[in-house]
Structures are given as structure tokens and as C-alpha cells.
Amino acid sequence: MSFLEPIGQLLQYVWDLIPKPYLIACTHEGIKFVKGKPAKKLVPKMYWYWPLTTQMWSAPVVRQAIKLKSQPLCTKDLVPVSVSAIVVFEISDIMKFGAKVWDGEETVGEVAEAAIPRIVTTHTLAELQVSLQGGDVGREMKEDDEVDVADQIGSGKYLGNPYLTKSMKAFLRSFGVKVLYAAFTGLAPTQVIHVTGMGGPILPVASQPS
């Protein structure tokens, strides 16, 4: 251990005795943790806090999106597919998101991924492809289904894939998250290859057109 390390620790301790400013922007909300006591919600404004006994944390609560990683799944008609999706959401309860969950953003992404198999495994490949074109899962695409998606998103009426959105809402509600919409961003038939010999993983490989 360097002889300078204790000096650095002492200087850090002295620095923590000085109150510090903490700004929460209008797009965020925050939480204050003081001496192990129950957390307190913070609204957007400037705060002063004592680092020695207090931790400050904030997160964006306005509209945001998470791109979910692709998953190898099997449709209702037993077609192997690689599926990816996006979920757009707002934070409706900062206390549930930040004080009741460890690493809320990562947790939301992982829980959202669990909602995808619920939809893919209960619909055929044809039905899922319709949903990628803008139609609802379970019915064929029609000409009058073509709408101005940008206007719908701006007005908050866009549902993406209604079935996937409903599933995401059910999975994420208890985490303080309000899902605005969810939609598939990729859907490709695959061939699953298991690499043997060295304990290799199962790898989804996109099928090539014949």
C-alpha cells in the first residue's frame, strides 16, 4: 500500500464533510437515501446534500426505449425463429423503480424479454409476420390498416403490436414502469445449431432462402 493512500482517504473524508449541490432536471425524478432510513422521493429542482450520510440518485422518467436482444424461439406451428423487439415506456413510480429494484434499467430489460415467448409461442409464423407489417396478430393485413404511424406515436395512440404491448404491461407494471407500446423489430426463420465437443452453446443461425 502506498504511503499516499491514507492521505488520499483522509482528504476524501474531509471532502465528504462539505455539502454538495445536486440538480434533478425536469426530465428526471430522484430518490434520497439518508443514514439507512426509508428512501424519499425527489422532484426536479436543485438540492444540497451531505455526502458523508446521504446518497442521491435520479433517473429519466419521460418516454424512453429499450431494444431487446434477439431470442431463438419456436412459433405455434413449430417454426424456429429468431425474434427481437423494442419496448417504449415511461417511469410511472420512481420509488418502485429505484428503491424497490436493484438496477432498474437492466431489470426492466430482462423482465421485458420474458414477455416475448408468451406471444411467439402462441401464434403462427404467418400471424407474427402480419404484425411486423403493422397489422394485429391473428388477422390478415388490409389496405385500410395503413395509417400514419408517426401521428399515432405523437398522440400516444400507437400500440405497436397490441398483444405484445399487453404482455409487456402485465410483466412490468409492478416495477413502476408504464409501457406505452412494444413492437417486434426482427423476425427471421432460423436453424438451431448445437456446437458439441467443447461444451459449446446452442446458436441460432438465420435460414438462407433456397
Side-chain angles (χ1 to χ4, degrees), residues 87-107:
V87 55
V88 179
F89 65 95
E90 297 174 350
I91 304 302
S92 57
D93 190 328
I94 193 67
M95 296 300 291
K96 288 183 179 179
F97 183 78
K100 303 297 183 181
V101 177
W102 178 253
D103 196 343
E105 184 174 351
E106 182 176 351
T107 300

Side-chain angles (χ1 to χ4, degrees), residues 57-78:
W57 176 87
S58 63
V61 296
V62 294
R63 184 183 305 183
Q64 50 197 295
I66 293 181
K67 184 177 180 181
L68 306 177
K69 63 184 180 182
S70 61
Q71 301 182 53
L73 298 169
C74 197
T75 64
K76 183 179 179 180
D77 51 345
L78 304 181

Side-chain angles (χ1 to χ4, degrees), residues 72-152:
L73 298 169
C74 197
T75 64
K76 183 179 179 180
D77 51 345
L78 304 181
V79 178
V81 292
S82 178
V83 182
S84 56
I86 187 172
V87 55
V88 179
F89 65 95
E90 297 174 350
I91 304 302
S92 57
D93 190 328
I94 193 67
M95 296 300 291
K96 288 183 179 179
F97 183 78
K100 303 297 183 181
V101 177
W102 178 253
D103 196 343
E105 184 174 351
E106 182 176 351
T107 300
V108 165
E110 292 176 348
V111 173
E113 289 174 3
I116 297 178
R118 187 178 183 182
I119 301 302
V120 174
T121 58
T122 56
H123 293 87
T124 66
L125 177 60
E127 290 172 338
L128 294 171
Q129 288 174 330
V130 168
S131 72
L132 282 174
Q133 300 169 11
D136 294 345
V137 171
R139 68 178 178 85
E140 295 183 357
M141 185 75 170
K142 299 179 180 179
E143 291 185 5
D144 56 6
D145 284 331
E146 295 186 7
V147 295
D148 190 342
V149 174
D151 287 345
Q152 286 191 356

